[in-house]
Amino acid sequence: MALKSQQPLDPAYLEKLQDYYAEHKVIPSYSVLATLWGISAKSWVSECVRRFEEAGYLGWTPDRQLKPGPRFFERRLAHDTVQAGLPNPALSEGYDLVTIDDYLIRIPSKTSLVRVKGDSMIDAGIHEGDLIVVEQQPNANVGDIVVAIVDNEFTVKYLDREKSTFVLKPANKAYPVIRPKGRLEIFGVMAGLVRKTR
Amino acid sequence: MALKSQQPLDPAYLEKLQDYYAEHKVIPSYSVLATLWGISAKSWVSECVRRFEEAGYLGWTPDRQLKPGPRFFERRLAHDTVQAGLPNPALSEGYDLVTIDDYLIRIPSKTSLVRVKGDSMIDAGIHEGDLIVVEQQPNANVGDIVVAIVDNEFTVKYLDREKSTFVLKPANKAYPVIRPKGRLEIFGVMAGLVRKTR
DNA sequence: TGGTTGACAGAACGAATGTTCGGTACCGTA
DNA sequence: TACGGTACCGAACATTCGTTCTGTCAACCA
């Protein structure tokens, strides 16, 4: 007994759990897991959970409640080269695993999101409706894409310098360069971009 | 009894729960909640939970397990209109956003990420190095941006039709339309995009 | 001064939870 | 043909869960 599990557990189980979690934001009880997995013995659920825990997909709170493990939220990054013959490239070797939040957000408390209005940055690949990930900070370097506050509105622009004053340059020839009178108020620097197309 | 609760519940309770959830990704049991809140009666926890549920911060799975409610993750999205003088950037109109993962990913088990190579889709605002969020599915509609497998490589292109055959159209005049010989193999449909600029 | 209300405590209880253990049926190997 | 391993079932069980109901106490009117 108490053997090592060398078999990789049925990935379908994990996926079903992840989908359940995505919907409810909670790990269900063993009996619910049983029906979710099409299993009828809680003892077997228990064993599966043990293996997922061993693999880092599940864990326990200090109060011995089942919770997602460190690898639970990992997203697979499909490689851009597909292995010949392999049916599922996402499962093949050499996958990196990322959660998008971790990928984009370095300092959660200083990071916020701003929705893009208009197409003044279209040449920088920034479209209307996109979400800009902003790291809040009062100053930036020339060349950075910054979120500035102009006339009480957020504006996303390139930061540039003309002589001794800072200006905001759009990435769209149809828009003018903004030369703020007085001090330029910078909300933060763009650290990333998120677009939802579906 | 059974009076309406007009009092807004102690916000500290909610914050403690949110912190706990942020750490463990799970809603604890009533007895743990009790110690978390510094309460010693489960009956009172039960009452508090009732009110949080009424307010939309907590909810229940179909199996009557306590779970985060719709408002649990409410995070202010910085609004594009700034109140004059006020630091408070958000208006009620603003979207409530959970996490970026939740925003982009509907079905975790069918979603993967593909890194963009080249600039063939630059006119669609898709740059080299961006991550495409792909929902895996074997077919798509004309006009969708799809991730197809051509010559054992992932390709991101618009799906279009010429007469009776499907073709892949780049969003860059410098690139040719791809007319696959044989069946066009579609890996999935683009559901979003993630770019890291820092 | 007395009465009501809201915030909590405490016990009691049935239902649900997760563990343990023993059992079965199907492998592949030797 | 026997054998060990693996995938699963099923029952028994102590523990824990969340509910319900009753009780205390300070605050706040009136």
Side-chain angles (χ1 to χ4, degrees):
Chain A
M1 349 317 30
L3 306 170
K4 307 288 157 60
S5 68
Q6 58 280 56
Q7 249 83 338
L9 253 221
D10 191 346
Y13 283 8
L14 183 57
E15 287 173 13
K16 283 180 183 170
L17 217 196
Q18 285 169 328
D19 289 348
Y20 182 99
Y21 188 93
E23 185 180 351
H24 296 300
K25 301 290 186 302
V26 149
I27 302 283
S29 73
Y30 282 24
S31 37
V32 175
L33 267 179
T35 66
L36 187 70
W37 288 345
I39 287 174
S40 68
K42 283 192 292 178
S43 53
W44 181 239
V45 174
S46 176
E47 173 62 15
C48 294
V49 165
R50 237 211 62 252
R51 299 191 191 177
F52 279 130
E53 184 213 341
E54 214 167 39
Y57 291 107
L58 290 172
W60 305 91
T61 68
D63 316 286
R64 304 272 325 140
Q65 191 191 0
L66 193 58
K67 68 164 194 174
R71 303 189 57 188
F72 189 83
F73 300 99
E74 281 171 349
R75 201 124 305 293
R76 25 170 185 272
L77 175 59
H79 259 213
D80 42 22
T81 308
V82 185
Q83 304 277 29
L86 280 180
N88 193 341
L91 290 178
S92 63
E93 287 309 313
Y95 52 95
D96 294 313
L97 299 144
V98 192
T99 82
I100 301 177
D101 288 81
D102 287 348
Y103 178 66
L104 287 180
I105 296 176
R106 301 188 300 183
I107 319 135
S109 61
K110 299 209 167 180
T111 305
S112 49
L113 299 168
V114 173
R115 194 171 292 276
V116 174
K117 257 173 86 175
D119 59 351
S120 66
M121 290 296 281
I122 195 98
D123 291 345
I126 299 173
H127 290 201
E128 171 142 33
D130 290 355
L131 287 177
I132 301 279
V133 179
V134 188
E135 285 182 11
Q136 285 169 249
Q137 56 182 75
N139 32 45
N141 300 319
V142 169
D144 284 349
I145 296 180
V146 300
V147 176
I149 301 178
V150 177
D151 295 334
N152 283 337
E153 290 217 355
F154 283 128
T155 312
V156 184
K157 295 285 180 303
Y158 278 112
L159 183 67
D160 202 354
R161 163 175 260 154
E162 281 180 357
K163 292 166 189 162
S164 65
T165 59
F166 288 107
V167 298
L168 298 172
K169 280 202 173 171
N172 184 339
K173 282 146 281 172
Y175 286 76
V177 174
I178 297 175
R179 298 184 176 78
K181 36 195 156 295
R183 225 179 64 77
L184 173 63
E185 196 178 351
I186 289 179
F187 177 71
V189 177
M190 169 168 163
L193 179 144
V194 174
R195 180 182 307 156
K196 188 180 182 175
T197 59
R198 206 170 195 197
Chain B
M1 325 295 119
L3 307 169
K4 309 285 157 61
S5 67
Q6 58 280 61
Q7 250 84 337
L9 254 220
D10 192 344
Y13 282 7
L14 184 57
E15 284 172 21
K16 283 180 182 169
L17 216 197
Q18 285 169 328
D19 288 348
Y20 183 98
Y21 188 92
E23 186 179 352
H24 296 299
K25 301 284 190 286
V26 147
I27 301 283
S29 74
Y30 282 23
S31 36
V32 175
L33 267 179
T35 67
L36 188 69
W37 288 344
I39 287 175
S40 68
K42 282 193 293 179
S43 55
W44 183 239
V45 174
S46 176
E47 173 62 15
C48 295
V49 165
R50 237 211 63 251
R51 300 190 189 178
F52 278 130
E53 184 213 343
E54 214 166 39
Y57 290 107
L58 289 172
W60 305 91
T61 67
D63 316 286
R64 305 266 332 137
Q65 191 190 2
L66 193 58
K67 69 165 191 173
R71 304 189 56 187
F72 189 84
F73 300 99
E74 242 173 33
R75 188 202 288 171
R76 310 230 114 160
L77 172 63
H79 213 251
D80 41 21
T81 308
V82 186
Q83 301 279 38
L86 287 179
N88 164 26
L91 293 177
S92 57
E93 171 85 65
Y95 287 67
D96 299 324
L97 186 58
V98 187
T99 61
I100 300 176
D101 288 81
D102 276 347
Y103 177 65
L104 290 179
I105 296 171
R106 301 188 299 183
I107 317 136
S109 62
K110 300 209 168 179
T111 305
S112 46
L113 301 171
V114 173
R115 194 172 293 277
V116 174
K117 258 173 86 176
D119 59 351
S120 67
M121 290 296 281
I122 195 98
D123 291 344
I126 299 173
H127 290 201
E128 170 142 32
D130 290 355
L131 287 178
I132 301 279
V133 180
V134 188
E135 283 182 12
Q136 285 169 251
Q137 56 182 75
N139 33 42
N141 300 317
V142 168
D144 286 348
I145 297 180
V146 299
V147 176
I149 303 179
V150 177
D151 295 334
N152 282 338
E153 290 219 355
F154 283 129
T155 315
V156 183
K157 294 286 182 304
Y158 279 112
L159 183 67
D160 203 353
R161 162 174 260 154
E162 279 180 359
K163 291 168 192 163
S164 64
T165 59
F166 287 108
V167 299
L168 298 172
K169 281 202 171 169
N172 185 337
K173 281 144 284 174
Y175 286 76
V177 174
I178 298 176
R179 298 184 178 78
K181 37 197 157 290
R183 226 178 63 75
L184 173 62
E185 195 178 353
I186 290 179
F187 177 71
V189 176
M190 169 168 162
L193 179 146
V194 174
R195 181 183 305 156
K196 188 180 181 177
T197 58
R198 210 173 190 195

